[in-house]
Amino acid sequence: MLVDSHCHLDRLDLKAHGGSLDAALAAARGRGVGLFLCIGVSADNAAAVRRLAASYRDVYCSVGVHPLDLEPGREPVLDWLLGELGDPRVVAIGETGLDYHYQPEAASLQQAGFRLHLEAARQTGKPVIVHTREARADTLAMLREADLPQAGVLHCFTEDWAMAEAALDMGYYISLSGIVTFRNAEALREVARRVPADRLLVETDAPYLAPVPHRGKSNLPEYVRDVAEFLAGLRGVSIEALAEQTTANFHRLFPLAVPPRI
């Protein structure tokens, strides 16, 4: 069984499945995907991801505010976040983090938002899902400062081995998406070869970043199989071994995401 450890089910382009999320999930299950983690990105979509998680036995969710969704004057408050995290189908916090690529001028706002999510992680013990782009030093510094007792994951990882190693040393996991299949991603492939087997996750980040051979299309959870097959070849292991390992890793990191009984 594979797990799509990071997807946005409320944002999928469902034309390939006749507009049906049920059909899209069934197609993923048909390719061996047994669990989906639907990611929260804003206060506005928190209800949507929780509703999806309540509707499917094999869907869980996270709640948080993406750094690019933060708005001055509408910052999330800790009480709201802790309230959302009380839902048993909410197994993680985020996605949160720092993204200076698009909004370098919002660094202070993003850092405040990230710090709030890290505090929620401290209080609840739920793992944090970290988005980081062009904010390497600050991301690592804030994770060190938080010094959380439980691990989290750097999702859709695109940085170099030095950052991966620093995160791994703090207990974090590394999740790889379809970007690792892109022609110009050799540096990322080197990271993918070196991540310890027991710290690796796979994801789609659907509907974004579809892997080769689907690049240019809207991404779907079923394509996590393509990411996993590529990584298995890259690491010199069978797809069965990689699926078993990454699924075990997922459940170690997200213990509240209990596999559905067949």
Side-chain angles (χ1 to χ4, degrees):
M1 184 184 81
L2 285 162
V3 176
D4 187 352
S5 68
H6 193 109
C7 54
H8 301 274
L9 298 180
D10 57 321
R11 297 186 170 194
L12 297 184
D13 180 344
L14 296 169
K15 289 196 293 289
H17 292 291
S20 169
L21 178 59
D22 286 353
L25 294 176
R29 296 181 193 116
R31 298 194 72 198
V33 186
L35 210 64
F36 310 84
L37 184 55
C38 181
I39 305 300
V41 295
S42 70
D44 294 334
N45 92 318
V49 299
R50 288 172 56 208
R51 185 166 54 249
L52 285 167
S55 300
Y56 298 94
R57 293 186 308 138
D58 52 2
V59 174
Y60 288 88
C61 70
S62 69
V63 170
V65 182
H66 190 287
L68 297 179
D69 281 271
L70 292 166
E71 299 178 31
R74 289 193 64 199
E75 296 91 343
V77 296
L78 186 60
D79 286 349
W80 168 80
L81 188 53
L82 292 174
E84 294 288 325
L85 292 168
D87 186 324
R89 303 294 292 186
V90 180
V91 300
I93 299 167
E95 60 186 286
T96 182
L98 304 174
D99 190 321
Y100 298 166
H101 177 76
Y102 290 109
Q103 295 182 0
E105 73 284 356
S108 295
L109 177 67
Q110 291 186 16
Q111 289 169 21
F114 192 17
R115 193 168 284 110
L116 179 141
H117 287 75
L118 293 170
E119 178 57 27
R122 177 184 308 283
Q123 293 193 28
T124 63
K126 292 187 176 183
V128 64
I129 298 168
V130 179
H131 168 104
T132 179
R133 188 173 184 187
E134 295 184 20
R136 182 179 312 174
D138 285 351
T139 298
L140 291 173
M142 292 186 68
L143 292 178
R144 288 192 188 99
E145 175 189 310
D147 192 23
L148 295 175
Q150 76 282 0
V153 59
L154 273 60
H155 104 92
C156 193
F157 192 81
T158 57
E159 301 288 344
D160 61 12
W161 174 246
M163 183 172 189
E165 188 173 36
L168 291 163
D169 286 346
M170 286 187 277
Y172 284 78
Y173 289 61
I174 302 294
S175 182
L176 295 170
S177 71
I179 293 176
V180 75
T181 71
F182 293 0
R183 184 174 59 184
N184 63 348
E186 185 51 46
L188 182 58
R189 284 190 278 278
E190 182 57 28
V191 172
R193 293 184 187 99
R194 298 177 69 176
V195 174
D198 64 351
R199 295 289 194 83
L200 180 65
L201 299 180
V202 289
E203 65 172 89
T204 58
D205 205 11
Y208 315 108
L209 306 170
V212 174
H214 310 286
R215 192 172 183 189
K217 299 179 182 178
S218 185
N219 205 357
L220 290 164
E222 66 201 75
Y223 298 159
V224 77
R225 175 93 189 186
D226 298 276
V227 177
E229 288 178 344
F230 184 90
L231 284 171
L234 194 65
R235 293 170 66 91
V237 299
S238 69
I239 178 60
E240 292 80 10
L242 187 128
E244 182 178 2
Q245 180 71 70
T246 55
T247 296
N249 296 345
F250 177 87
H251 288 297
R252 191 184 318 113
L253 178 59
F254 302 107
L256 297 177
V258 180
R261 293 183 179 180
I262 298 174

